[in-house]
Amino acid sequence: MKTRKRLFLSLCVLVLALVAPAALAQAKTTNAVKTELVDVRKAVKPQGKWVKRTGGYKFRLASSGKAVKNKWISVDGKVYYVNGSGYRVSGWVKYRGKLYYMDKNGVMQTGWLTVSGKKYYMKPNGVALKKLQKIGDARYYFSPTDASMKKGWVSIGKSKYYFSKIDGRMRTATWVKSDGKYRYVGQDGKMLSSCWVIVGKNKYYVDGDGVRVTGTQYIGNKGYYFKSNGVYDPTVKVKMEVNPNKKMVALTFDDGPGPYTTRLLNCLQKNGAKATFFMVGSSVPNYKSAVKKMVAMGCELGNHSYSHPAFTTLSYSSRRSQVTRTNNNIYNACGKYPTVFRLPYGDGHNSSSVLSSLGLPSIYWSLDTRDWANTGSPQHTVNAVLNNVKNGDIVLMHDIHRSTVDAAETIIPALKKRGFQMVTVSQLAKYKGKTTLRSGKTYYSFK
């Protein structure tokens, strides 16, 4: 009996020795089959035929009659994808984190493709291109998420690029006009900002938002003049209006223009001072002459909404309407658009969604006089300014109140006597803050 057991055990060991290598080989083959394809063009080429069913088409193997499921297959030189139910797929397929597109017959597409009005580019292996790509002699940008081709301005990293709204090609070494403003993109396609631009024999300057400047501009510690087409004209000598080495403050007035605004402007003019006026659009048509005088004096025009609502309570379209209507009223009054914005009540000054709807730099304040709450006491406003003002402050007042203008007639000459230059907010930013105001951002002071 013991001898038989020994023989049986020996036989089992021998069988295992012979079978194990074959089993391991089979396991390896099975794993290889399950490995995902890197290039779907190398899909298996099964023998069989397409069979139409109620839910679509299935590919049945000639050997077994079974339907192929959940895999890429190549039939007659065309690549298809069949899902877990065995039906060939039409439309978008996401595979290994990449996007593919199958036409109405289930055939994988390559090259340029238009789907639902959007353009895509599929590589020879069927994968949709994403991000910045070169196709032929041009560069294009495709969304990192849905792979659709983008047009217009696109931010890539810390730089902005422009892609033609006609064919999506990146523009290079040229001026781009958008929203009525001109910006320059270099040879590498990057938008230039805060620098000089030389094109041919002409010299231009673009500000912090990349916009080509016109008229009188102060760059560094020197004044320049640019023609209406942006070309620098060295024959026009510009005298510096602000001494960067002296104290300066920006007086700002909200809620006007009103019946006392012209009186305030006369005081500013008499003292060689400037201010920034944040105007309510509905009031502008009634005081066009005051707005024209602001421009003639070199004061800064500001938008303060059309009807003074709290912006966080409004929809995007309502905010845009408030901004646009006021911009247009100010332009119709004096031929100039406002360059800065102040939110009513300061509401939304730290909200990215509100700031993105303005299209202008947002200006807050560092010294609030609360003149509106003390209209019976001009001295309150005088004290609020003269007892607290510092170099680089943005001072908040309201020119619709007679008491405020009474106070301003004391404040302005007193500040002048103390050696303060009274400048616009943009001038304060340039000379004190060494910066250019940008839309989408709120500024509080330049101390």
Side-chain angles (χ1 to χ4, degrees):
M1 184 66 70
K2 289 182 179 179
T3 302
R4 287 181 181 177
K5 285 184 178 179
R6 286 197 205 98
L7 286 173
F8 178 74
L9 290 171
S10 298
L11 183 61
C12 288
V13 170
L14 180 60
V15 169
L16 285 170
L18 292 172
V19 172
L24 286 171
Q26 172 111 20
K28 287 181 180 178
T29 303
T30 303
N31 288 336
V33 170
K34 289 182 178 179
T35 300
E36 293 182 322
L37 289 169
V38 174
D39 187 340
V40 300
R41 291 174 296 182
K42 296 181 180 180
V44 294
K45 300 177 181 179
Q47 297 299 311
K49 63 179 180 179
W50 291 108
V51 178
K52 187 175 182 180
R53 290 290 180 263
T54 303
Y57 285 86
K58 293 186 175 185
F59 192 87
R60 295 201 176 276
L61 297 172
S63 59
S64 64
K66 292 183 178 180
V68 176
K69 294 183 179 180
N70 201 32
K71 69 185 341 182
W72 292 92
I73 59 174
S74 178
V75 181
D76 297 330
K78 298 176 181 177
V79 178
Y80 301 82
Y81 183 77
V82 288
N83 62 23
S85 298
Y87 291 102
R88 74 186 186 198
V89 175
S90 294
W92 290 104
V93 171
K94 189 172 184 179
Y95 175 73
R96 299 182 74 247
K98 296 179 173 60
L99 291 174
Y100 300 78
Y101 190 81
M102 325 305 285
D103 70 10
K104 63 181 181 180
N105 296 315
V107 178
M108 184 185 76
Q109 299 296 288
T110 60
W112 284 105
L113 176 70
T114 301
V115 181
S116 301
K118 295 182 178 181
K119 293 195 73 173
Y120 305 83
Y121 189 85
M122 322 302 287
K123 294 196 292 186
N125 64 357
V127 176
L129 290 179
K130 291 185 178 183
K131 300 184 178 181
L132 186 62
Q133 301 288 343
K134 186 174 183 180
I135 302 172
D137 61 350
R139 284 182 288 179
Y140 303 82
Y141 189 78
F142 301 90
S143 168
T145 52
D146 69 0
S148 61
M149 185 184 78
K150 297 302 179 184
K151 297 180 179 180
W153 288 106
V154 175
S155 294
I156 305 174
K158 294 183 179 180
S159 301
K160 292 185 75 173
Y161 301 78
Y162 188 83
F163 298 86
S164 171
K165 290 191 175 181
I166 298 174
D167 58 15
R169 292 182 173 220
M170 178 192 286
R171 301 291 297 277
T172 60
T174 189
W175 289 105
V176 173
K177 184 180 181 181
S178 62
D179 300 325
K181 299 174 182 178
Y182 288 89
R183 295 174 173 85
Y184 194 82
V185 289
Q187 190 64 48
D188 59 358
K190 292 181 181 179
M191 184 194 79
L192 304 184
S193 63
S194 300
C195 65
W196 288 93
V197 176
I198 298 176
V199 181
K201 296 181 179 180
N202 295 324
K203 193 174 181 181
Y204 306 81
Y205 190 83
V206 290
D207 65 18
D209 287 324
V211 177
R212 186 171 79 189
V213 303
T214 60
T216 299
Q217 299 289 330
Y218 298 96
I219 303 167
N221 293 330
K222 188 177 179 182
Y224 301 84
Y225 181 78
F226 299 85
K227 298 177 183 178
S228 59
N229 62 357
V231 176
Y232 167 54
D233 186 350
T235 65
V236 178
K237 304 302 178 183
V238 178
K239 182 181 179 182
M240 288 292 290
E241 294 181 328
V242 179
N243 186 334
N245 301 315
K246 289 186 176 181
K247 294 187 296 184
M248 60 188 83
V249 63
L251 302 181
T252 66
F253 296 90
D254 288 11
D255 294 356
Y260 314 109
T261 303
T262 298
R263 188 177 131 204
L264 172 60
L265 288 167
N266 290 337
C267 179
L268 288 166
Q269 189 172 36
K270 181 179 178 181
N271 288 277
K274 292 179 174 57
T276 300
F277 290 86
F278 292 99
M279 293 174 276
V280 174
S282 59
S283 298
V284 169
N286 298 321
Y287 299 97
K288 290 183 178 181
S289 60
V291 181
K292 289 178 182 177
K293 187 174 178 66
M294 293 174 194
V295 174
M297 287 174 52
C299 290
E300 187 162 24
L301 307 179
N303 185 322
H304 196 42
S305 81
Y306 187 81
S307 57
H308 210 273
F311 266 42
T312 57
T313 67
L314 304 180
S315 65
Y316 178 86
S317 60
S318 294
R319 293 196 294 265
R320 286 302 306 155
S321 175
Q322 288 279 333
V323 174
T324 302
R325 292 175 72 188
T326 302
N327 282 348
N328 291 338
N329 275 8
I330 291 174
Y331 181 84
N332 291 337
C334 65
K336 298 284 185 181
Y337 284 108
T339 53
V340 285
F341 192 96
R342 175 168 283 159
L343 290 158
Y345 317 106
D347 180 54
H349 66 93
N350 57 356
S351 166
S352 58
S353 60
V354 169
L355 296 178
S356 66
S357 69
L358 304 181
L360 292 168
S362 166
I363 309 301
Y364 202 72
W365 53 84
S366 55
L367 200 168
D368 183 359
T369 62
R370 291 186 59 82
D371 57 338
W372 57 272
N374 295 275
T375 55
S377 173
Q379 191 60 43
H380 166 88
T381 304
V382 171
N383 293 341
V385 176
L386 299 184
N387 292 345
N388 299 287
V389 67
K390 294 180 179 64
N391 187 17
D393 265 330
I394 297 176
V395 181
L396 170 63
M397 291 183 277
H398 301 75
D399 55 317
I400 57 169
H401 303 304
R402 181 173 182 172
S403 58
T404 296
V405 176
D406 288 342
E409 289 176 334
T410 297
I411 292 168
I412 292 168
L415 288 175
K416 181 180 179 181
K417 189 174 181 180
R418 292 186 185 184
F420 278 97
Q421 299 172 98
M422 284 158 279
V423 299
T424 66
V425 171
S426 289
Q427 287 175 329
L428 188 68
K430 282 187 178 182
Y431 297 111
K432 179 67 177 172
K434 308 296 183 185
T435 189
T436 301
L437 299 175
R438 298 186 181 187
S439 58
K441 185 176 179 180
T442 297
Y443 298 86
Y444 302 84
S445 70
F446 296 95
K447 296 181 182 179

